[in-house]
Amino acid sequence: DLNKVPDFSASGVDYVVCAFSADLFGSAAKIAAGLRACGCSVDLMPTPKKKVANSFKHADQTGARRMVFVAPDEIAKGVVRVKDLRLKNAAGDAVQVDVPLDKLETLDDMIQAAAADGTQ
């Protein structure tokens, strides 16, 4: 009625999942589904940004707590790298962990442990 569109820029989702390239989108979609099955809210980016930093910037601007970046080296190892965009370790660095694809339900515990002991 007022010709106003709601502002969805700060959705506050738990995770933004982004594939490094189009050929990894299937893996990214499976990871997003796994996180949703754990009760998390997930924004699956349909296409990667031209620069990796822009993908992280998108996640930060949407208010996401964490960024899941699906890259070929990690997928080949059976893991995915997750960076917490809000939590810092004792050294002031962003907390990130490599999570086995079959252990996504342990992600919160892994992030908290990494933040507590300062490991990455």
Side-chain angles (χ1 to χ4, degrees):
D1 290 355
L2 301 174
N3 287 331
K4 292 187 176 184
V5 176
D7 181 12
F8 295 111
S9 63
S11 66
V13 297
D14 296 319
Y15 295 91
V16 168
V17 178
C18 178
F20 174 78
S21 58
D23 59 318
L24 290 171
F25 184 78
S27 295
K30 286 179 186 176
I31 291 164
L35 290 168
R36 288 180 181 127
C38 293
C40 301
S41 59
V42 180
D43 176 10
L44 176 60
M45 291 178 62
T47 56
K49 302 286 185 182
K50 290 187 179 187
K51 293 183 180 179
V52 172
N54 289 340
S55 295
F56 284 91
K57 183 178 178 182
H58 167 81
D60 188 45
Q61 288 176 336
T62 62
R65 284 183 28 217
R66 297 177 181 148
M67 172 71 167
V68 180
F69 195 69
V70 183
D73 291 344
E74 286 78 12
I75 289 295
K77 295 175 189 173
V79 300
V80 66
R81 180 152 298 157
V82 179
K83 181 176 182 179
D84 195 299
L85 302 173
R86 311 286 171 231
L87 187 63
K88 307 286 185 202
N89 64 17
D93 298 320
V95 175
Q96 65 182 19
V97 295
D98 287 349
V99 182
L101 296 172
D102 61 350
K103 300 288 184 195
L104 292 175
E105 72 279 359
T106 67
L107 187 50
D108 285 338
D109 293 336
M110 292 180 74
I111 292 279
Q112 293 303 323
D117 68 15
T119 62
Q120 297 293 311

